[in-house]
Amino acid sequence: MQRDIFDADHDAFRDLARTFVAKEITPFHDQWERDGQVSREVWLAAGRAGLLGTDVPEEYGGGGVADFRYNAVLLEELTTAGATGIGFPLQNDVVAPYLLRLTNDEQKRRWLPGFCSGEIITAIAMSEPGAGSDLQGIQTHARREESGDWVLNGAKTFITNGILSDLVIVVARTDPDAGSRGFSLLVVERGMPGFERGRRLEKVGMKAQDTAELSFSDVRVPAANVLGEPGGGFGYLMQNLVQERLSIAVGSIAGAARALALTVGYTKDRTAFGRPIANFQNTRFELAEMDTEVTIAQVFVDRCITEHVAGRLSVTDAAKAKWWTSDLQKRVVDRCVQLHGGYGYMLEYPIAKAFVDSRVQAIYGGTNEIMKEIIGRAVVG
């Protein structure tokens, strides 16, 4: 079906993003996979190209257009190219809302220009060794000194951009007796004494994405590095998880569509018993089912994007989009591997890499079991 949520400006931005990916990412991604992280140079190149901070006001070096459709376009182009190591979506889709909505003027001047230029790479640290989707289980804590500064202690894990990050938003418990009102967001910057990066985690897939453990030992965080109001952290997380989960949905459906396109091409070229395997009824039925499911899911995701741009996307609908599309991506990629036969298990074929890269979509941003819990509560009241 013809998608109708983008206009000429978005199409021009897509051309820009596609050209950038082809020139600055695709030729180097295999090496980044071997290195375990991308280069800082690609972040600077993205800043020069205007791909970072499209919704940041122009006075701070951003694009000045608060329109999530630009975020979606960039994510779709990265996904279509199989560029799973690039952390731009985390910067634009996940961290940007915190820095735009919660920072004061001084913080904006200090952080946003580098955010947009690619000189400041960001991360957000929620998950812990003993607390993943259960944010109430967070043990990282900070105490306030008489000076107003905070002393931070704890550990985080599964942190995307963890090695390269220059600025990390840390979720910390600041009042153990206040329940959900006892969490605050503290910004930890590269070079602060006591802030250490642990090992780069060896993942099943997404090898070029630097995912790491972080530790904080008596890290003194200035009062000027608190985001929003102390004690408001949990509420801020709930507000911003809507966009994060929509971003995962956008990437998931784009990934499913890519896997399907790769498989259609393969089945047309690959022969068995003297004819292309695309000519077998089972193959056509498999492709027909997947194409239908991907089309239907894309329509729902596009509607969610439209609702989000209008400021109406609910927590429940974002959870539906994240759960359904990431689960669909798993099913589609698995079926596509099967249609590739033995070659589908070889990493030299893009479908094999898609198989290992896509599995995490159903886990991060809140596991799909958590998504069903959110939806279920909305259903039963």
Side-chain angles (χ1 to χ4, degrees), residues 124-147:
I124 184 164
M126 289 186 270
S127 297
E128 297 185 2
S133 295
D134 178 18
L135 297 179
Q136 295 279 12
I138 286 174
Q139 297 299 312
T140 296
H141 60 279
R143 70 173 188 276
R144 196 170 193 171
E145 306 258 283
E146 290 185 6
S147 64

Side-chain angles (χ1 to χ4, degrees), residues 253-323:
I253 195 61
R258 174 178 182 259
L260 179 58
L262 290 170
T263 305
V264 169
Y266 178 82
T267 58
K268 288 180 177 180
D269 293 337
R270 177 70 172 171
T271 60
F273 305 103
R275 56 176 172 154
I277 62 174
N279 288 355
F280 290 95
Q281 185 184 64
N282 179 70
T283 302
R284 294 198 305 271
F285 280 13
E286 288 283 311
L287 296 175
E289 290 176 12
M290 289 188 286
D291 185 69
T292 301
E293 290 185 276
V294 168
T295 299
I296 292 170
Q298 184 70 74
V299 172
F300 181 71
V301 170
D302 283 355
R303 177 60 185 269
C304 287
I305 292 171
T306 300
E307 289 294 291
H308 186 54
V309 170
R312 297 190 299 258
L313 183 62
S314 69
V315 171
T316 304
D317 284 341
K320 290 177 181 178
K322 191 271 180 184
W323 161 52

Side-chain angles (χ1 to χ4, degrees), residues 47-79:
R48 291 191 296 269
L51 299 179
L52 302 177
T54 54
D55 54 350
V56 173
E58 292 180 355
E59 63 184 293
Y60 301 112
V65 181
D67 183 348
F68 182 79
R69 288 174 293 181
Y70 289 100
N71 303 50
V73 164
L74 178 57
L75 179 50
E76 287 175 356
E77 290 305 312
L78 290 170
T79 303

Side-chain angles (χ1 to χ4, degrees), residues 1-297:
M1 298 180 73
Q2 181 67 39
R3 300 176 71 188
D4 60 2
I5 66 170
F6 301 115
D7 61 26
D9 289 336
H10 301 111
D11 293 340
F13 185 74
R14 187 180 296 278
D15 289 340
L16 169 66
R18 186 171 297 169
T19 300
F20 180 89
V21 170
K23 179 182 177 182
E24 303 288 351
I25 295 176
T26 299
F28 312 107
H29 203 273
D30 286 347
Q31 182 61 51
W32 294 336
E33 294 257 333
R34 292 188 288 271
D35 296 341
Q37 66 185 55
V38 306
S39 69
R40 294 191 71 94
E41 286 71 24
V42 74
W43 283 86
L44 297 173
R48 291 191 296 269
L51 299 179
L52 302 177
T54 54
D55 54 350
V56 173
E58 292 180 355
E59 63 184 293
Y60 301 112
V65 181
D67 183 348
F68 182 79
R69 288 174 293 181
Y70 289 100
N71 303 50
V73 164
L74 178 57
L75 179 50
E76 287 175 356
E77 290 305 312
L78 290 170
T79 303
T80 300
T84 56
I86 302 297
F88 302 163
L90 179 82
Q91 183 117 332
N92 287 337
D93 304 355
V94 180
V95 176
Y98 292 93
L99 298 186
L100 288 171
R101 298 171 188 168
L102 301 178
T103 48
N104 56 39
D105 290 342
E106 185 276 330
Q107 290 170 330
K108 285 182 171 65
R109 289 192 298 271
R110 186 152 44 109
W111 294 325
L112 288 180
F115 178 96
C116 296
S117 69
E119 295 171 280
I120 293 178
I121 299 172
T122 62
I124 184 164
M126 289 186 270
S127 297
E128 297 185 2
S133 295
D134 178 18
L135 297 179
Q136 295 279 12
I138 286 174
Q139 297 299 312
T140 296
H141 60 279
R143 70 173 188 276
R144 196 170 193 171
E145 306 258 283
E146 290 185 6
S147 64
D149 294 345
W150 298 81
V151 177
L152 176 67
N153 284 278
K156 300 290 184 178
T157 193
F158 310 141
I159 308 305
T160 303
N161 292 351
I163 298 296
L164 289 174
S165 56
D166 305 291
L167 183 154
V168 182
I169 299 173
V170 179
V171 183
R173 189 180 292 273
T174 50
D175 186 343
D177 301 318
S180 63
R181 296 291 301 171
F183 297 93
S184 302
L185 305 182
L186 308 180
V187 176
V188 176
E189 299 179 72
R190 179 182 289 277
M192 284 185 171
F195 171 34
E196 300 290 340
R197 300 162 206 272
R199 62 192 177 97
R200 183 187 296 108
L201 299 174
E202 185 68 20
K203 305 185 297 297
V204 170
M206 304 184 84
K207 297 289 189 178
Q209 186 189 88
D210 60 313
T211 306
E213 297 172 327
L214 306 179
S215 65
F216 311 93
S217 179
D218 290 333
V219 177
R220 184 169 292 276
V221 181
N225 278 32
V226 175
L227 276 186
E229 294 297 324
F234 194 79
Y236 300 143
L237 292 174
M238 294 304 100
Q239 294 167 16
N240 290 320
L241 279 170
V242 168
Q243 179 161 302
E244 179 176 351
R245 287 165 182 164
L246 177 58
S247 176
I248 294 170
V250 170
S252 293
I253 195 61
R258 174 178 182 259
L260 179 58
L262 290 170
T263 305
V264 169
Y266 178 82
T267 58
K268 288 180 177 180
D269 293 337
R270 177 70 172 171
T271 60
F273 305 103
R275 56 176 172 154
I277 62 174
N279 288 355
F280 290 95
Q281 185 184 64
N282 179 70
T283 302
R284 294 198 305 271
F285 280 13
E286 288 283 311
L287 296 175
E289 290 176 12
M290 289 188 286
D291 185 69
T292 301
E293 290 185 276
V294 168
T295 299
I296 292 170

Side-chain angles (χ1 to χ4, degrees), residues 319-359:
K320 290 177 181 178
K322 191 271 180 184
W323 161 52
W324 187 261
T325 57
S326 60
D327 211 55
L328 174 62
Q329 184 182 13
K330 284 196 301 178
R331 298 196 308 271
V332 167
V333 173
D334 185 73
R335 295 171 80 175
C336 288
V337 167
Q338 189 71 21
L339 287 172
H340 276 72
Y343 291 105
Y345 204 62
M346 301 296 110
L347 281 174
E348 63 190 88
Y349 279 74
I351 195 64
K353 184 172 176 297
F355 182 75
V356 293
D357 284 347
S358 63
R359 185 58 183 85

